[in-house]
């Protein structure tokens, strides 16, 4: 078995320790004897997305998002949409999550068009939403997820996207409707840094299993000793 | 107005005195109340003082102490905010402690370390003769937001004091951009191409693209992080030639660094008693500031050579059989510098890592995943045991596990007293890496057992 990871835009979207998600999946696959390859795709890369099992996109600075738009709109957007529709597993965090939506509108009314792979849109606000977050992902069978959010964008989901979870503590998508993140086909979008996967091993394994099942039909993941992970998970659960 | 000032000074001195007899540090609180009584107190007090102000993400404290060393050597009458009280209120307290009840300053010079966020208000009040900006890296994103925001508040601070001479790190493309946006005279310092035989880890994550036009930079060389010879192929924004340049690092040992510093065309070989490439940058910035203040290069060189760091920055303690070194870590760039330094340690060693998530540390601990802890795992077994502690010790232990550090050499211990007892039993050298508030607490326990100084005594 070979698990092929694509790490998109590591050159501009790697600000809040989100690379930890890639490290986490790579380790958890290797510990189970699964081969892993990680391909970094910076701006300007021409490599095709179609052959990957999993695509990760993290968060970055607003300043650099402009640069990214040019790259996205030079054909990458259509490729991402077809990969999403094709069932490729995505984890997108914060800026990367917003980017899969329809558009981002700054608080003074300037709108930039995004990919439109997910039915959601984001409007900027002056006040940032910053702090630890806890949300419930029972519908995905992975229980409670904990992390850290830091965003000024308020995201509204359209009817075509389900929330990833319900906020138990923190702000989530917009601080109002109690939703956090989005789930569509095999795309998991979230505002949670932390990074989110290491401290939530059930979430990490859901992603790994979904990706491997898509390629190999069925997949049983061998259990791992998650003592350290669950200690960190529980500590934050108890704190919030 | 004068009455308000005198009342504020009296209140501040009284509060500070009370805090000291109660054995609280009391560095910020007295100034905070004094400012409520007299909001322009700092402007009034600072007008007769010639100040060097130092800001930037990493290296503020060390650079400030180096400048201070030169002032002391030169016999200047000066004071400084020694204990890391680098916000508005802490700086005010320090000025009040050095003035008479009538508001007359007793010292002519000051060395002031200034928090980046406080620079916006403090610079205009201090009107420093020299402002050093060390570098800009991402740090405490929960507090500052993005690094371009930090740059903006420093710029706003500088715009309020156009007469100040800026000493800017020419190798930091973010810091260097301050020169184009402000009317101030600029003195440049940095590390030239070829100075380092083995460059540190390049990490361009916060500065890959031109701050002016968004184009990707080209780099002739990178010393570490994004510090190096940058050039924008589109708009022409590029590294400026240095007035004070490190041209060659001759040797880098645990005990110190020997490097050639070119001061306005004159080469000086300097033996620093400090390890780490980042401290060579700190020394270059300090040299630029000292010389810009009108002290001779000789004074600067002598101060750099006699300077020994302290207060959690490469600070040595007599602990265990082989001693301990405390190395504060605060953000990915600083952490990578410490880890890079450990790569050069030849003997086997043990570690204590303490991760806190309080306001001064940054409430978001995600960044430990951006630092190269993988280098500890590939240390060929030189790291034999690591005690993990602090408010977020579970996150830290997990980071080490995923970095590939064997779980059976990771110990979790929340009690600092027990950690110090453990350190006393060690045969090998101990490297202690605490975040800021963990450093304050752990250092206090260490100092109590080894008989050092309390923090407000510096």
């Amino acid at each position: 078995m070979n698990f092929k990871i694509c790490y998109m835009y590591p050159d501009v979207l790697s600000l809040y320790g989100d690379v930890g998600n890639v490290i986490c999946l790579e380790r958890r696959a290797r510990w189970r004897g699964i081969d892993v390859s990680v391909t970094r795709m910076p701006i300007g890369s021409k490599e095709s997305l179609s052959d990957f099992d999993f695509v990760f996109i993290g968060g970055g600075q607003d300043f650099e998002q402009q640069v990214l738009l040019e790259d996205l709109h030079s054909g990458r957007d259509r490729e991402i949409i077809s990969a999403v529709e094709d069932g490729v597993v995505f984890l997108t965090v914060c800026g990367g999550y917003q980017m899969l939506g329809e558009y981002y509108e700054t608080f003074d009314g300037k709108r930039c068009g995004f990919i439109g792979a997910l039915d959601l849109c984001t409007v900027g606000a002056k006040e940032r939403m910053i702090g630890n977050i806890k949300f419930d992902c029972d519908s995905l069978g992975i229980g409670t997820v904990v992390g850290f959010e830091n965003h000024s964008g308020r995201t509204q989901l359209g009817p075509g996207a389900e929330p990833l979870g319900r906020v138990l503590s923190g702000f989530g998508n917009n601080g109002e409707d109690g939703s956090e993140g989005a789930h569509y086909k095999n795309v998991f979008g979230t505002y949670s840094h932390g990074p989110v996967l290491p401290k939530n091993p059930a979430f990490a394994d859901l992603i790994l299993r979904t990706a491997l099942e898509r390629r190999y039909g069925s997949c049983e993941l061998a259990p791992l000793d998650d003592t350290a992970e669950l200690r960190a998970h529980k500590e934050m659960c108890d704190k919030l | 107005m004068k009455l308000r000032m005198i009342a504020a000074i009296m209140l501040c001195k009284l509060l500070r005195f009370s805090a000291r007899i109660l054995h609280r540090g009391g560095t910020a609180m007295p100034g905070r109340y004094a400012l409520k009584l007299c909001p322009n107190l700092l402007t009034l007090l600072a007008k007769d003082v010639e100040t060097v102000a130092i800001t930037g993400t990493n290296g503020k404290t060390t650079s400030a102490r180096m400048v201070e060393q030169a002032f002391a050597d030169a016999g200047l009458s000066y004071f400084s905010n020694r204990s890391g009280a680098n916000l508005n209120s802490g700086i005010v307290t320090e000025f009040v402690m050095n003035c008479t009840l009538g508001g007359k300053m007793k010292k002519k010079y000051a060395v002031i370390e200034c928090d980046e966020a406080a620079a916006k208000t403090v610079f205009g009040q201090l009107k420093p003769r020299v402002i050093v900006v060390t570098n800009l890296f991402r740090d405490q994103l929960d507090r500052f937001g993005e690094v371009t925001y930090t740059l903006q508040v420093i710029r706003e601070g500088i715009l309020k004091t156009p007469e100040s001479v800026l000493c800017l790190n020419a190798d930091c493309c973010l810091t260097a951009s301050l020169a184009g946006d402000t009317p101030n005279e600029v003195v440049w310092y940095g590390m030239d191409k070829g100075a380092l035989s083995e460059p540190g880890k390049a990490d361009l994550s916060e500065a890959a693209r031109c701050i002016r036009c968004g184009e990707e930079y080209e780099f002739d060389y990178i010393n570490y992080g994004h510090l190096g010879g940058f050039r924008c192929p589109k708009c022409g924004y590029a590294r400026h030639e240095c007035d004070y340049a490190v041209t060659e690092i001759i040797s880098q040992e645990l005990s110190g660094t020997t490097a050639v510093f070119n001061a306005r065309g004159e080469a000086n070989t300097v033996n620093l008693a400090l390890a780490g490439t980042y401290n060579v940058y700190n020394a270059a910035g300090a040299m630029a500031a000292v010389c810009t203040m009108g002290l001779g290069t000789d004074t600067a060189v002598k101060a750099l050579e006699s300077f020994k760091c302290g207060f959690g920055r490469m600070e040595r303690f007599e602990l265990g059989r082989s001693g301990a070194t405390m190395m504060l870590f605060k953000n990915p760039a600083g952490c990578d510098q410490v880890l890079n330094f450990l790569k050069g340690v030849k003997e086997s060693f043990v570690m204590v890592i303490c991760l806190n998530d309080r306001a001064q540390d940054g409430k978001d601990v995600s960044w430990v995943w951006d630092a190269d802890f993988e280098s500890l795992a590939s240390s060929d077994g030189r790291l034999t045991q690591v005690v993990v502690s602090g408010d977020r010790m579970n996150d830290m232990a997990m980071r080490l596990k995923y970095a590939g550090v064997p779980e059976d050499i990771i110990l979790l211990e929340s009690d600092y007293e027990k950690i110090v007892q453990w350190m006393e039993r060690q045969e090998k050298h101990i490297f202690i890496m605490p975040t800021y508030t963990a450093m304050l607490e752990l250092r206090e326990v260490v100092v109590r057992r080894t008989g050092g100084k309390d923090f407000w005594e510096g």
Side-chain angles (χ1 to χ4, degrees), chain A residues 11-12 14-20 23-24 27-28 31 43 60-64 67 128 130 132 148 150 193-195 198-199 225-226 228-229 231-232 235-236 239, chain B residues 138 141-143 145-148 204-211 214 357 363-367 369-370 374 391-395 397-399 401-404 407 412:
Chain A
D11 47 343
V12 284
S14 63
L15 202 57
Y16 297 87
D18 293 328
V19 64
I23 298 172
C24 172
R27 289 276 170 188
R28 295 183 74 81
W31 286 333
I43 288 178
Q61 309 197 67
D62 296 343
F63 159 68
E64 283 148 338
V67 188
R128 286 185 90 85
I130 303 175
N132 290 306
F148 193 96
N150 184 352
H193 304 289
K199 260 199 294 264
D225 176 4
D226 283 335
E229 290 83 348
R231 245 192 327 244
E235 178 193 300
M236 192 43 70
K239 194 170 164 176
Chain B
R138 82 189 112 127
L141 293 168
D142 58 301
R143 181 170 153 236
E146 303 177 351
V147 69
T148 43
L204 303 180
S205 51
E206 58 264 62
R209 300 202 156 246
C210 180
I211 186 79
D357 64 351
K363 289 178 182 164
D364 180 10
V365 297
S366 304
W367 62 268
W369 291 81
D370 286 320
E374 278 75 9
D391 300 338
R392 299 297 291 272
M393 62 181 187
N394 289 320
D395 277 80
M398 194 174 65
R399 172 70 187 105
K401 173 182 176 178
Y402 279 84
E407 275 194 276
L412 288 169

Side-chain angles (χ1 to χ4, degrees), chain B residues 90-108:
Chain B
I91 294 169
V92 169
T93 307
E94 214 55 65
F95 269 81
V96 170
M97 293 321 289
N98 287 284
C99 77
T100 64
L101 282 176
K104 186 171 164 33
M105 294 305 297
K106 297 182 210 164
K107 312 257 171 77
K108 185 155 185 273

